[in-house]
């Protein structure tokens, strides 16, 4: 990470924290929603975008963090319950990831799909822990002796997002992160280079699970509820949309994608209020994600980040572009997944 | 500091890829392994590089048995390899890949915390000076690997293998796919690597001009077995080699 990207990120974080704190409850809500979704997207991008392990269990994993943090919070653990949720998710993520040591690509992805449904089922039936389908009511986080309000949550979430980004950016720039990238491209080459593929995968699952759990804990506290419906496959799809739209294998892209996917429904709703045909617009809202994901996969699999880089590259030293075109840059994370690519 | 391979055989179903192949490599020696397509050269390298498990035979490096060891184990013993086809590693820069290669070496690898909190600047400079400069890669040190030419990627792969300070280096077609001039340069680089690091080299290669000018000794394989061994000059003169290799009657 360069000093410049650190300062830009810090300035953005402070800017959004101020907006969240000073502009009323609605803006605070938007800011913390995006920040929380971003932490989840960062976590998912580590696993899919960097390490190449496609998972559909992200929604349930976030749920594990939410329940873990919620239960710990209700037991009076305070802010430490966020850590409890994160650790719970990291451990469950490790379990979900174990088949990845044997299975590859789509076969593994299907096993995570099973994990998603099993976990969601557990949320419903483990009545004593999770309070079943009606959901677990979570006591608010206490701040200065009073329940935290939305504005304070906005600041907390932006702060934690900044920290998460910082930690993950640093890890990506160590040999741990480099090993993820090599494993994504070719396990065979990784092994030949002396990379411990199994260890790299385990590390990716633990790391990704930890931040998914942090995301879940924040959802539990801000919404004051952890219920099974919130952590269904739809959340996994939303999270996947975020990293595809934002950019696979780009931490900054995860945050941009999270903002895009979180704010798009709000924007469409506002549009619907202005226009007479509200029904039509709300139907479009359902379709928008699907269309968006398909468009990005077709036109720019590396997301908004790659799009922006291309535009800048064209505008800048157009003659000697340092960036490869889409054909060669393309669907690295996805295509490397067919498992047969040696 | 010698590699000894004895009677190594491996079959894939009905195909005997390598049959009773033996090979000795002395300290600081560059041995060229040549032969027509399908002769079993790469399979042989894979067997002694921990990628494939031979059916029979023995191999030792400095007296230690090496068959059955993983590539990571071999790297710790000072045995490194390069790859025939260079995978385009998206997003990784030249320095990234070389640092990852260095991690396989106990002394050069840095602890996670020092990487996490520390700056890579000193390490980067050292790598540029000692590894990238001789391979003409300093200018592209921070470029993603997929932006490099094929020849440069081959050099990067070599730098990555050299980063763990190997004492025995397997090069699988280091010149294939390079232009004539790049090929000659690579041959010179391989000799200078040997001189600087004092390592032994086994190189599989097709380009005869490079093999002749680079190797100290040449082993010719055909149909999975050794058919000739000698100096470059002797190899060029041998009738059997000419028949197998050049296909004249």
């Amino acid at each position: 990470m360069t000093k410049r990207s650190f300062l830009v990120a810090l300035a953005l974080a402070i800017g959004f924290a101020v907006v969240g704190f000073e502009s009323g409850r609605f803006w605070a809500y938007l800011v913390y929603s995006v920040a929380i979704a971003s932490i989840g997207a960062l976590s998912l991008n580590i696993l899919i975008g960097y390490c190449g392990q496609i998972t559909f269990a992200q929604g349930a994993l976030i749920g594990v963090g939410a329940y873990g943090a919620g239960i710990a919070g209700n037991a009076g653990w305070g802010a430490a319950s966020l850590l409890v949720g994160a650790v719970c998710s990291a451990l469950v993520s490790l379990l979900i990831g174990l088949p990845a040591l044997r299975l590859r690509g789509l076969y593994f992805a299907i096993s995570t799909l099973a994990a998603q449904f099993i976990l969601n089922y557990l949320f419903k039936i483990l009545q004593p822990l999770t309070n079943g389908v009606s959901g677990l009511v979570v006591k608010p986080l206490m701040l200065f002796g009073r329940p935290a309000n939305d504005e304070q949550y906005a600041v907390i979430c932006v702060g934690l997002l900044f920290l998460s980004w910082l930690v993950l950016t640093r890890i990506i720039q160590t040999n741990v992160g480099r090993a993820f990238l090599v494993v994504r491209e070719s396990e065979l080459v990784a092994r030949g280079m002396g990379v411990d593929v199994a260890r790299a995968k385990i590390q990716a699952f633990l790391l990704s699970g930890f931040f998914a759990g942090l995301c879940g804990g924040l959802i539990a506290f801000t919404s004051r509820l952890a219920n099974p419906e919130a952590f269904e496959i739809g959340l996994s799809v939303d999270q996947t949309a975020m990293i595809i739209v934002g950019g696979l294998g780009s931490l900054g892209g995860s945050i941009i994608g999270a903002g895009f996917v979180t704010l798009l429904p709000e924007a469409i709703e506002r549009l619907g209020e202005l226009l007479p045909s509200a029904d039509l617009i709300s139907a479009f809202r359902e379709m928008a994600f699907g269309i968006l994901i398909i468009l990005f996969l077709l036109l720019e699999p590396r997301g908004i980040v790659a799009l922006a880089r291309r535009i800048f590259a064209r505008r800048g030293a157009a003659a000697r572009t340092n960036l490869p075109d889409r054909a060669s840059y393309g669907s690295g994370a996805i295509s490397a997944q067919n498992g047969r690519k040696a | 500091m010698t590699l000894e391979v004895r009677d190594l055989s491996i079959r894939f179903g009905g195909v005997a890829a390598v049959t009773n192949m033996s090979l000795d490599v002395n300290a600081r020696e560059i041995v060229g392994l040549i032969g027509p397509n399908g002769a079993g050269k790469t399979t042989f390298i894979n067997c002694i590089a921990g990628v494939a498990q031979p059916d029979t035979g023995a191999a030792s490096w400095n007296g230690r048995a090496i068959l059955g060891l993983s590539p990571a184990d071999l790297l710790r013993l000072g045995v490194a390899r390069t790859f025939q086809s260079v995978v385009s590693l998206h997003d990784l820069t030249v320095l990234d890949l070389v640092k990852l290669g260095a991690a396989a070496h106990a002394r050069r690898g840095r602890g996670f915390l020092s990487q996490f909190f520390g700056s890579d600047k000193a390490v980067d400079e050292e790598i540029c000076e000692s590894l990238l400069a001789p391979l003409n890669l300093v200018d592209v040190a921070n470029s993603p690997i997929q932006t490099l030419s094929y020849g440069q990627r081959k050099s990067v792969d070599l730098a990555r293998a050299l980063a763990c300070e190997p004492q025995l280096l397997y090069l699988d077609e280091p010149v294939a796919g390079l232009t004539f001039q790049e090929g000659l340069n690579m041959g010179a680089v391989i000799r200078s690597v040997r001189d600087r690091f004092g390592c032994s080299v086994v190189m599989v290669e097709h380009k005869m001009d490079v093999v002749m000018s680079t190797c100290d000794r040449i082993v010719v394989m055909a149909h999975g077995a050794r058919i000739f061994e000698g100096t470059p000059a002797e190899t060029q003169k041998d009738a059997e080699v000419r028949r197998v290799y050049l296909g004249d009657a």
Side-chain angles (χ1 to χ4, degrees), chain B residues 126-142:
Chain B
E126 202 234 312
I127 288 173
C128 278
E129 194 181 320
S130 68
L131 291 170
L132 300 187
L135 293 165
N136 286 325
L137 290 171
V138 176
D139 293 342
V140 294
N142 284 306

Side-chain angles (χ1 to χ4, degrees), chain A residues 108-132:
Chain A
F108 170 69
I110 295 298
S111 82
T112 65
L113 197 59
Q116 163 73 36
F117 285 106
I118 292 169
L119 282 171
N120 209 270
Y121 181 63
L122 288 179
F123 296 156
K124 287 176 191 157
I125 62 158
L126 289 180
Q127 195 93 25
L129 274 178
T130 63
N131 204 23

Side-chain angles (χ1 to χ4, degrees), chain A residues 202-226:
Chain A
I202 286 171
Q203 285 167 336
F205 278 104
L206 280 174
L207 197 60
S208 169
F210 184 89
F211 287 98
L214 182 60
C215 164
L218 290 171
I219 289 177
F221 281 118
T222 52
S223 66
R224 302 187 55 180
L225 182 73

Side-chain angles (χ1 to χ4, degrees), chain A residues 171-195:
Chain A
I171 289 178
I172 287 308
Q173 285 165 348
T174 67
N175 284 328
V176 172
R178 293 179 191 122
F180 291 171
L181 285 168
V182 183
V183 168
R184 180 187 83 190
E185 293 306 326
S186 166
E187 291 188 18
L188 208 68
V189 168
R191 201 166 296 128
M193 285 171 50
V195 169

Side-chain angles (χ1 to χ4, degrees), chain B residues 81-203:
Chain B
R81 74 169 300 179
T82 65
F83 295 94
Q84 182 173 349
S85 52
V86 185
V87 177
S88 168
L89 291 163
H90 298 259
D91 299 341
L92 283 170
T93 66
V94 172
L95 274 171
D96 279 335
L97 195 65
V98 175
K99 278 185 259 189
L100 198 54
H105 187 276
R107 194 171 59 75
R108 274 211 179 201
R110 295 158 68 212
F112 174 74
L113 287 179
S114 100
Q115 293 179 56
F116 186 86
F117 290 108
S119 157
D120 275 2
K121 218 172 157 201
V123 182
D124 289 354
E125 276 168 12
E126 202 234 312
I127 288 173
C128 278
E129 194 181 320
S130 68
L131 291 170
L132 300 187
L135 293 165
N136 286 325
L137 290 171
V138 176
D139 293 342
V140 294
N142 284 306
S143 304
I145 289 166
Q146 77 266 30
T147 63
L148 306 185
S149 73
Y150 191 76
Q152 283 173 317
R153 287 185 207 175
K154 287 252 174 188
S155 299
V156 173
D157 199 31
L158 181 58
R160 191 263 311 150
L162 289 175
C164 55
E165 297 177 5
Q167 294 160 296
L168 174 61
L169 189 58
Y170 304 136
L171 304 175
D172 195 355
E173 306 213 6
V175 189
L178 302 194
T179 63
F180 178 73
Q181 193 54 46
E182 282 176 331
L184 287 186
N185 290 344
M186 183 61 97
V189 163
I190 291 168
R191 287 193 78 88
S192 78
V193 159
R194 188 269 310 267
D195 294 339
R196 278 182 47 226
F197 293 89
C199 56
S200 312
V201 178
V202 179
M203 63 183 269

